[in-house]
Amino acid sequence: MTQRLPGRILAATALFTLVLAVPTVAPQTRAAPGSIQDLNRYYQLRTRDPARALFFLRRSIQRDPTDRRAWEELGYLELRAGHKAAALAAFQSAVKAGADTAPMHAQIGYILLDLKREIETLAAFRRSLAINPNQEAVRLQTAFILDGLNRKGEAYRVFKRVARETRD
């Protein structure tokens, strides 16, 4: 037994040295672990148990309201359920949380168009096009909105640009 003791002491010493070598992270720099766990749980459950998955998604947002992925997911869920106003609010929160992308602004624009809010739709589409000008569908929809708002000159210029770009 005396021969095993030094081996155990060496193993314990090695383990203790490893534990001390692990860097510690200050609490303020850590991500909200609960929100990450909840979002992962949501992804696991979203096809098998949508109601329970939604619970974890909402809890993830409560724990970390700056998580753009969670807001985007909530927006798509609300849109799929036909809750356009709730989807719009979720997508707008995603943009505030950092999802300032052309597809996100385009999605917001299409929801606003569905809600018959043409002026706001126009603004969302223009933000989308400012980020990525190579979106013919969004540009064409912008032209239709301008035409519907009786802004014929602007609509004509946009239609002309779409026609020129699709030819090239």
Side-chain angles (χ1 to χ4, degrees):
M1 187 145 160
T2 56
Q3 292 175 349
R4 287 187 178 174
L5 192 58
R8 288 184 179 171
I9 291 172
L10 284 174
T13 305
L15 183 60
F16 185 68
T17 306
L18 283 174
V19 168
L20 290 177
V22 173
T24 56
V25 179
Q28 63 270 19
T29 61
R30 288 186 189 151
S35 67
I36 293 169
Q37 291 168 352
D38 286 338
L39 195 56
N40 286 337
R41 192 74 179 128
Y42 159 76
Y43 285 124
Q44 293 168 356
L45 292 171
R46 68 181 173 178
T47 55
R48 289 184 316 212
D49 189 354
R52 200 158 156 235
L54 185 58
F55 165 79
F56 284 106
L57 183 60
R58 289 187 192 281
R59 193 166 79 175
S60 174
I61 290 170
Q62 286 174 344
R63 288 181 172 177
D64 184 7
T66 63
D67 187 349
R68 69 178 183 82
R69 294 170 306 160
W71 283 113
E72 288 175 22
E73 285 293 329
L74 182 61
Y76 288 118
L77 282 179
E78 295 289 6
L79 193 58
R80 215 172 297 133
H83 308 138
K84 293 175 186 166
L88 177 63
F91 287 136
Q92 288 171 332
S93 294
V95 168
K96 288 177 191 167
D100 193 20
T101 64
M104 187 57 55
H105 287 291
Q107 185 65 57
I108 289 170
Y110 284 117
I111 294 171
L112 287 165
L113 183 62
D114 239 15
L115 295 171
K116 310 274 189 254
R117 294 162 56 180
E118 288 85 5
I119 300 295
E120 293 170 87
T121 301
L122 199 55
F125 282 163
R126 285 187 170 158
R127 279 192 300 273
S128 180
L129 289 166
I131 296 168
N132 179 7
N134 301 321
Q135 303 176 80
E136 283 80 19
V138 173
R139 191 172 306 285
L140 193 58
Q141 194 64 53
T142 301
F144 285 125
I145 293 167
L146 288 167
D147 188 55
L149 292 171
N150 208 22
R151 293 163 69 174
K152 306 290 185 194
E154 286 179 82
Y156 175 75
R157 284 189 294 279
V158 175
F159 277 127
K160 193 172 173 181
R161 181 175 176 179
V162 169
R164 184 177 60 246
E165 288 176 0
T166 52
R167 255 187 301 143
D168 296 339

Coordinates of all heavy atoms in Angstrom, one line a residue, residues 72-132:
E72 N -35.1 36.6 -33.5 CA -35.4 36.2 -34.9 C -36.3 35.0 -34.9 O -37.3 34.9 -35.6 CB -34.1 35.9 -35.7 CG -33.3 37.2 -36.0 CD -32.0 36.8 -36.7 OE1 -31.8 35.7 -37.2 OE2 -31.1 37.7 -36.7
E73 N -35.9 34.0 -34.1 CA -36.7 32.8 -34.0 C -38.1 33.0 -33.5 O -39.1 32.5 -34.1 CB -36.0 31.8 -33.0 CG -34.8 31.1 -33.5 CD -35.1 30.1 -34.7 OE1 -36.2 29.5 -34.7 OE2 -34.2 30.0 -35.5
L74 N -38.3 33.9 -32.5 CA -39.6 34.3 -32.1 C -40.4 34.9 -33.2 O -41.6 34.6 -33.4 CB -39.5 35.2 -30.8 CG -40.9 35.6 -30.2 CD1 -41.6 34.4 -29.7 CD2 -40.6 36.6 -29.1
G75 N -39.7 35.8 -33.9 CA -40.4 36.4 -35.1 C -40.9 35.4 -36.1 O -42.1 35.5 -36.5
Y76 N -40.1 34.5 -36.5 CA -40.5 33.5 -37.4 C -41.6 32.6 -36.9 O -42.6 32.2 -37.6 CB -39.3 32.6 -37.9 CG -38.4 33.4 -38.8 CD1 -37.1 33.6 -38.4 CD2 -38.9 33.9 -40.0 CE1 -36.2 34.4 -39.3 CE2 -38.0 34.6 -40.8 CZ -36.7 34.9 -40.4 OH -35.9 35.6 -41.3
L77 N -41.6 32.3 -35.6 CA -42.7 31.5 -35.0 C -44.0 32.2 -35.0 O -45.0 31.7 -35.3 CB -42.3 31.1 -33.5 CG -41.3 30.0 -33.3 CD1 -41.1 29.8 -31.8 CD2 -41.9 28.7 -33.9
E78 N -43.9 33.5 -34.6 CA -45.1 34.3 -34.6 C -45.7 34.5 -36.0 O -46.9 34.4 -36.2 CB -44.8 35.7 -34.0 CG -44.5 35.7 -32.5 CD -45.6 35.3 -31.6 OE1 -46.7 35.0 -32.0 OE2 -45.4 35.4 -30.4
L79 N -44.8 34.7 -37.0 CA -45.2 34.8 -38.4 C -45.9 33.5 -38.9 O -46.9 33.6 -39.5 CB -44.0 35.2 -39.2 CG -44.3 35.7 -40.6 CD1 -45.2 36.9 -40.6 CD2 -43.0 36.0 -41.3
R80 N -45.3 32.4 -38.5 CA -45.8 31.1 -38.9 C -47.2 30.9 -38.3 O -48.1 30.3 -38.9 CB -44.9 30.0 -38.5 CG -44.9 28.8 -39.4 CD -43.8 27.8 -39.1 NE -42.5 28.3 -39.2 CZ -41.5 28.2 -38.3 NH1 -41.7 27.5 -37.2 NH2 -40.3 28.7 -38.4
A81 N -47.4 31.4 -37.1 CA -48.7 31.3 -36.4 C -49.7 32.3 -36.9 O -50.9 32.3 -36.5 CB -48.5 31.4 -34.9
G82 N -49.3 33.2 -37.7 CA -50.2 34.2 -38.3 C -50.3 35.5 -37.4 O -51.2 36.3 -37.7
H83 N -49.5 35.6 -36.4 CA -49.5 36.8 -35.5 C -48.5 37.9 -36.1 O -47.4 38.0 -35.6 CB -49.1 36.4 -34.1 CG -49.9 35.3 -33.6 ND1 -49.3 34.3 -32.9 CD2 -51.2 35.0 -33.7 CE1 -50.3 33.4 -32.5 NE2 -51.4 33.8 -33.0
K84 N -49.0 38.6 -37.1 CA -48.1 39.5 -37.8 C -47.6 40.7 -36.9 O -46.4 41.0 -37.0 CB -48.8 40.1 -39.0 CG -49.1 39.0 -40.0 CD -49.9 39.5 -41.2 CE -50.2 38.3 -42.1 NZ -51.3 38.7 -43.0
A85 N -48.4 41.2 -36.1 CA -48.0 42.3 -35.2 C -46.9 41.9 -34.2 O -45.9 42.5 -34.0 CB -49.2 43.0 -34.5
A86 N -47.1 40.7 -33.7 CA -46.1 40.1 -32.7 C -44.9 39.8 -33.5 O -43.7 40.0 -32.9 CB -46.7 38.9 -32.0
A87 N -45.0 39.3 -34.7 CA -43.8 38.9 -35.5 C -43.0 40.2 -35.8 O -41.8 40.3 -35.7 CB -44.2 38.2 -36.8
L88 N -43.7 41.3 -36.2 CA -43.1 42.5 -36.5 C -42.3 43.1 -35.2 O -41.2 43.5 -35.4 CB -44.1 43.6 -36.9 CG -43.7 45.0 -37.1 CD1 -42.7 45.0 -38.3 CD2 -44.8 45.9 -37.4
A89 N -42.9 43.0 -34.1 CA -42.3 43.5 -32.8 C -41.0 42.6 -32.6 O -40.0 43.2 -32.2 CB -43.2 43.4 -31.7
A90 N -41.1 41.3 -32.8 CA -39.9 40.5 -32.5 C -38.8 40.8 -33.5 O -37.6 40.9 -33.1 CB -40.3 39.0 -32.6
F91 N -39.1 41.0 -34.8 CA -38.1 41.3 -35.8 C -37.5 42.7 -35.5 O -36.3 42.8 -35.7 CB -38.6 41.2 -37.2 CG -38.9 39.8 -37.7 CD1 -40.1 39.5 -38.3 CD2 -38.0 38.8 -37.4 CE1 -40.3 38.2 -38.8 CE2 -38.2 37.5 -37.9 CZ -39.4 37.2 -38.5
Q92 N -38.3 43.6 -35.1 CA -37.8 44.9 -34.7 C -36.8 44.8 -33.5 O -35.8 45.5 -33.5 CB -38.9 45.9 -34.5 CG -39.6 46.3 -35.8 CD -40.8 47.1 -35.6 OE1 -41.5 47.0 -34.6 NE2 -41.2 48.0 -36.6
S93 N -37.2 44.0 -32.6 CA -36.3 43.8 -31.4 C -35.0 43.1 -31.9 O -33.9 43.4 -31.3 CB -37.0 42.9 -30.4 OG -38.1 43.6 -29.8
A94 N -35.1 42.2 -32.8 CA -33.9 41.5 -33.4 C -32.9 42.6 -34.0 O -31.7 42.5 -33.8 CB -34.3 40.5 -34.4
V95 N -33.5 43.5 -34.7 CA -32.7 44.6 -35.3 C -32.0 45.4 -34.2 O -30.8 45.7 -34.3 CB -33.5 45.5 -36.3 CG1 -32.8 46.7 -36.7 CG2 -33.9 44.7 -37.5
K96 N -32.8 45.8 -33.2 CA -32.2 46.5 -32.1 C -31.1 45.7 -31.4 O -30.1 46.3 -30.9 CB -33.3 46.9 -31.1 CG -34.2 48.0 -31.6 CD -35.3 48.2 -30.5 CE -36.4 49.1 -31.1 NZ -37.6 49.1 -30.3
A97 N -31.2 44.4 -31.4 CA -30.2 43.6 -30.7 C -29.0 43.3 -31.6 O -28.1 42.6 -31.2 CB -30.9 42.3 -30.3
G98 N -29.0 43.8 -32.9 CA -27.9 43.6 -33.7 C -28.1 42.9 -35.0 O -27.1 42.7 -35.8
A99 N -29.3 42.5 -35.3 CA -29.6 41.8 -36.6 C -29.9 42.8 -37.7 O -31.0 42.8 -38.3 CB -30.7 40.8 -36.4
D100 N -29.0 43.8 -37.8 CA -29.2 44.9 -38.8 C -28.8 44.4 -40.2 O -27.8 44.8 -40.7 CB -28.4 46.1 -38.3 CG -28.8 47.3 -39.1 OD1 -29.9 47.4 -39.7 OD2 -28.0 48.3 -39.1
T101 N -29.6 43.5 -40.8 CA -29.2 42.9 -42.0 C -30.3 43.2 -43.1 O -31.4 43.5 -42.7 CB -29.1 41.3 -41.9 OG1 -30.4 40.8 -41.6 CG2 -28.1 40.9 -40.9
A102 N -29.9 43.1 -44.3 CA -30.8 43.3 -45.4 C -32.0 42.4 -45.4 O -33.2 42.8 -45.5 CB -30.1 43.2 -46.8
P103 N -31.8 41.1 -45.2 CA -33.0 40.2 -45.1 C -34.0 40.5 -43.9 O -35.2 40.4 -44.1 CB -32.4 38.8 -44.9 CG -31.0 38.9 -45.4 CD -30.6 40.3 -45.2
M104 N -33.4 40.9 -42.8 CA -34.2 41.3 -41.7 C -35.1 42.5 -42.0 O -36.3 42.5 -41.7 CB -33.4 41.5 -40.4 CG -34.2 41.6 -39.2 SD -35.3 40.3 -38.8 CE -34.2 38.9 -38.8
H105 N -34.5 43.5 -42.6 CA -35.3 44.7 -42.9 C -36.3 44.4 -44.0 O -37.4 44.9 -44.0 CB -34.4 45.9 -43.3 CG -33.6 46.5 -42.2 ND1 -34.3 47.2 -41.2 CD2 -32.3 46.4 -41.9 CE1 -33.4 47.6 -40.4 NE2 -32.2 47.2 -40.7
A106 N -35.9 43.5 -45.0 CA -36.9 43.1 -46.0 C -38.1 42.4 -45.4 O -39.2 42.6 -45.7 CB -36.2 42.3 -47.0
Q107 N -37.8 41.5 -44.4 CA -38.8 40.8 -43.7 C -39.8 41.7 -43.0 O -41.0 41.6 -43.1 CB -38.2 39.8 -42.7 CG -39.2 38.9 -42.1 CD -39.9 37.9 -43.0 OE1 -39.3 37.2 -43.7 NE2 -41.2 38.0 -43.1
I108 N -39.2 42.7 -42.3 CA -40.0 43.7 -41.6 C -40.9 44.4 -42.7 O -42.0 44.7 -42.4 CB -39.1 44.7 -40.8 CG1 -38.5 44.0 -39.6 CG2 -39.8 45.9 -40.4 CD1 -37.4 44.7 -38.9
G109 N -40.3 44.8 -43.8 CA -41.0 45.5 -44.8 C -42.2 44.7 -45.4 O -43.3 45.2 -45.5
Y110 N -42.0 43.4 -45.6 CA -43.1 42.5 -46.1 C -44.2 42.4 -45.1 O -45.4 42.4 -45.4 CB -42.6 41.2 -46.5 CG -41.8 41.2 -47.8 CD1 -40.5 40.8 -47.9 CD2 -42.5 41.6 -49.0 CE1 -39.8 40.9 -49.1 CE2 -41.8 41.6 -50.2 CZ -40.5 41.3 -50.3 OH -39.8 41.3 -51.5
I111 N -43.9 42.3 -43.8 CA -44.9 42.3 -42.8 C -45.7 43.6 -42.7 O -46.9 43.6 -42.7 CB -44.3 42.0 -41.4 CG1 -43.7 40.6 -41.4 CG2 -45.4 42.1 -40.3 CD1 -42.9 40.2 -40.1
L112 N -44.9 44.7 -42.8 CA -45.6 46.0 -42.8 C -46.5 46.2 -44.0 O -47.6 46.8 -43.9 CB -44.5 47.1 -42.8 CG -43.8 47.3 -41.4 CD1 -42.6 48.2 -41.6 CD2 -44.7 47.9 -40.4
L113 N -46.1 45.7 -45.1 CA -46.9 45.7 -46.3 C -48.2 44.9 -46.1 O -49.3 45.4 -46.5 CB -46.1 45.2 -47.5 CG -46.8 45.2 -48.9 CD1 -47.1 46.7 -49.3 CD2 -45.9 44.6 -49.9
D114 N -48.0 43.8 -45.5 CA -49.2 42.9 -45.2 C -50.2 43.7 -44.3 O -51.4 43.5 -44.3 CB -48.8 41.6 -44.5 CG -49.2 40.4 -45.3 OD1 -49.6 40.6 -46.5 OD2 -49.1 39.3 -44.8
L115 N -49.6 44.5 -43.4 CA -50.4 45.2 -42.4 C -50.9 46.6 -43.0 O -51.5 47.4 -42.3 CB -49.6 45.5 -41.1 CG -49.3 44.3 -40.3 CD1 -48.3 44.7 -39.2 CD2 -50.5 43.6 -39.8
K116 N -50.7 46.8 -44.3 CA -51.1 48.0 -45.1 C -50.5 49.3 -44.5 O -51.1 50.3 -44.5 CB -52.7 48.1 -45.0 CG -53.4 46.8 -45.4 CD -53.6 46.8 -46.9 CE -54.5 45.6 -47.3 NZ -53.8 44.5 -47.8
R117 N -49.2 49.2 -44.1 CA -48.5 50.4 -43.6 C -47.4 50.7 -44.6 O -46.2 50.4 -44.4 CB -48.0 50.0 -42.2 CG -49.1 49.9 -41.2 CD -48.7 49.2 -39.9 NE -47.6 49.8 -39.2 CZ -47.2 49.3 -38.0 NH1 -47.7 48.2 -37.5 NH2 -46.1 49.8 -37.4
E118 N -47.9 51.3 -45.7 CA -47.0 51.4 -46.9 C -45.8 52.4 -46.7 O -44.7 52.1 -47.1 CB -47.8 51.9 -48.1 CG -48.7 50.9 -48.7 CD -50.1 50.8 -48.0 OE1 -50.3 51.6 -47.1 OE2 -50.9 49.9 -48.4
I119 N -46.0 53.5 -46.0 CA -44.9 54.4 -45.7 C -43.8 53.8 -44.9 O -42.6 53.9 -45.3 CB -45.4 55.7 -45.0 CG1 -46.5 56.4 -45.8 CG2 -44.3 56.6 -44.7 CD1 -46.0 57.0 -47.1
E120 N -44.2 53.0 -43.9 CA -43.2 52.3 -43.1 C -42.5 51.2 -43.9 O -41.4 50.9 -43.7 CB -43.8 51.7 -41.8 CG -44.3 52.8 -40.8 CD -45.1 52.2 -39.7 OE1 -44.5 51.8 -38.7 OE2 -46.4 52.1 -39.9
T121 N -43.3 50.5 -44.7 CA -42.8 49.5 -45.6 C -41.7 50.1 -46.5 O -40.6 49.5 -46.7 CB -43.9 48.9 -46.5 OG1 -44.9 48.4 -45.7 CG2 -43.4 47.8 -47.4
L122 N -42.0 51.2 -47.1 CA -41.0 51.9 -47.9 C -39.7 52.1 -47.2 O -38.6 51.9 -47.7 CB -41.7 53.2 -48.5 CG -41.1 53.8 -49.7 CD1 -41.0 52.9 -50.8 CD2 -41.9 55.1 -50.0
A123 N -39.8 52.6 -46.0 CA -38.6 52.9 -45.2 C -37.9 51.6 -44.9 O -36.6 51.6 -45.0 CB -39.0 53.6 -43.9
A124 N -38.5 50.5 -44.6 CA -37.9 49.3 -44.3 C -37.2 48.7 -45.5 O -36.0 48.2 -45.5 CB -38.9 48.2 -43.7
F125 N -37.9 48.8 -46.7 CA -37.3 48.3 -47.9 C -36.1 49.2 -48.3 O -35.1 48.6 -48.8 CB -38.3 48.3 -49.0 CG -39.3 47.2 -49.0 CD1 -40.4 47.2 -49.8 CD2 -39.0 46.0 -48.3 CE1 -41.3 46.1 -49.7 CE2 -39.9 44.9 -48.3 CZ -41.1 45.0 -49.0
R126 N -36.1 50.4 -48.1 CA -35.0 51.3 -48.4 C -33.8 51.0 -47.5 O -32.7 51.0 -47.9 CB -35.4 52.8 -48.3 CG -36.2 53.2 -49.5 CD -36.5 54.6 -49.6 NE -37.1 55.0 -50.9 CZ -37.8 56.0 -51.1 NH1 -38.1 56.9 -50.1 NH2 -38.3 56.3 -52.3
R127 N -34.1 50.7 -46.2 CA -33.0 50.3 -45.3 C -32.3 49.0 -45.8 O -31.1 48.8 -45.8 CB -33.4 50.1 -43.9 CG -33.6 51.5 -43.1 CD -33.8 51.3 -41.6 NE -35.0 50.5 -41.3 CZ -36.2 51.0 -41.2 NH1 -36.4 52.3 -41.3 NH2 -37.2 50.3 -40.9
S128 N -33.2 48.1 -46.2 CA -32.7 46.8 -46.8 C -31.8 47.0 -48.0 O -30.8 46.4 -48.1 CB -33.9 45.9 -47.1 OG -33.5 44.7 -47.6
L129 N -32.3 47.8 -48.9 CA -31.6 48.1 -50.1 C -30.3 48.9 -49.9 O -29.3 48.8 -50.6 CB -32.5 48.8 -51.1 CG -33.6 48.0 -51.7 CD1 -34.6 48.9 -52.5 CD2 -33.0 46.9 -52.7
A130 N -30.3 49.7 -48.8 CA -29.1 50.4 -48.5 C -28.0 49.5 -48.0 O -26.8 49.7 -48.3 CB -29.4 51.5 -47.4
I131 N -28.4 48.4 -47.4 CA -27.4 47.4 -46.9 C -27.0 46.5 -48.0 O -25.8 46.2 -48.2 CB -28.0 46.6 -45.7 CG1 -28.3 47.5 -44.5 CG2 -27.1 45.4 -45.3 CD1 -29.1 46.8 -43.4
N132 N -27.9 46.1 -48.9 CA -27.6 45.2 -50.0 C -28.5 45.7 -51.2 O -29.6 45.3 -51.3 CB -27.9 43.8 -49.7 CG -27.6 42.8 -50.8 OD1 -27.1 43.3 -51.9 ND2 -28.0 41.6 -50.7

